[in-house]
Amino acid sequence: MEITKKDIEKLIKLRKEDTFLNHLWNIFSRDFRPKGEIDRNEIKVWKQNLWNSAFYPIFKFELNTNNHLTNITSKLNPIGKTFIGLF
C-alpha cells in the first residue's frame, strides 16, 4: 500500500505557510488544529498541543513525480529553535 499526496493532505485542517511569524502566532493563539503547507513535491505538517507547546515538530513529507510518499523528515519549529538558542 502506497501513501499518496491526497492521504497526507487529509491530515491538514488549516493551510498556513511555514514562516517564523505564523509559528509565533500559533504559539500565542494556542490553536491546536493541524496546520500545513502544500507544495508540488513536498508537504509540511505541524500540530501543537498542551504537551509540546512551543517545541512542536514540523514533519516534511517528500513526494515523487507520481505523488507517492518517498521520505519523511522532521525538524523543530523556528520558535522552538529560537528558545533553545537563547537559553
Side-chain angles (χ1 to χ4, degrees):
M1 181 174 136
E2 293 189 359
I3 299 173
T4 64
K5 186 175 185 176
K6 291 284 184 193
D7 295 331
I8 301 168
E9 287 176 349
K10 291 177 187 176
L11 299 173
I12 299 172
K13 300 296 180 206
L14 186 63
R15 290 180 75 162
K16 292 280 187 178
E17 289 185 35
D18 180 22
T19 64
F20 184 85
L21 291 177
N22 279 339
H23 288 287
L24 183 64
W25 176 249
N26 190 50
I27 290 170
F28 287 127
S29 69
R30 305 196 52 91
D31 182 6
F32 298 140
R33 291 181 290 179
K35 297 173 188 68
E37 178 180 346
I38 301 171
D39 291 330
R40 184 182 304 197
N41 292 327
E42 77 177 22
I43 299 175
K44 295 178 184 177
V45 179
W46 58 90
K47 183 178 185 306
Q48 178 190 26
N49 62 37
L50 289 174
W51 298 106
N52 63 13
S53 65
F55 299 99
Y56 57 88
I58 299 171
F59 295 97
K60 182 174 148 185
F61 298 88
E62 296 175 13
L63 308 163
N64 62 16
T65 55
N66 296 328
N67 286 332
H68 291 106
L69 181 66
T70 58
N71 192 23
I72 302 172
T73 56
S74 66
K75 65 177 182 176
L76 186 60
N77 74 73
I79 304 299
K81 288 180 184 178
T82 302
F83 282 146
I84 289 173
L86 291 174
F87 298 108

